[in-house]
Amino acid sequence: MTHDRAWTAEHTGQSLEQITIDFDGDRWFAGPEAVAYGLAEEVIGPESGTPA
């Protein structure tokens, strides 16, 4: 699991410590939050005007 967290930290720009804190808990990300965090590039759906 450490390798997964290191990869996630590298690709999201978050620190390994922050990834550990956020992913050890019961944290959920809404679409815009996932984009801001670096987990997704964009949100596609009704809010963006693009069909899901």
Side-chain angles (χ1 to χ4, degrees):
M1 181 169 296
T2 302
H3 174 70
D4 293 339
R5 290 182 183 185
W7 185 91
T8 303
E10 179 181 341
H11 290 279
T12 62
Q14 302 295 325
S15 69
L16 185 55
E17 293 79 16
Q18 189 63 51
I19 295 292
T20 300
I21 291 167
D22 293 339
F23 286 47
D24 276 349
D26 191 22
R27 182 164 182 189
W28 289 83
F29 294 88
E33 291 174 312
V35 171
Y37 196 87
L39 293 171
E41 291 184 15
E42 66 181 316
V43 176
I44 299 174
E47 296 82 19
S48 68
T50 305

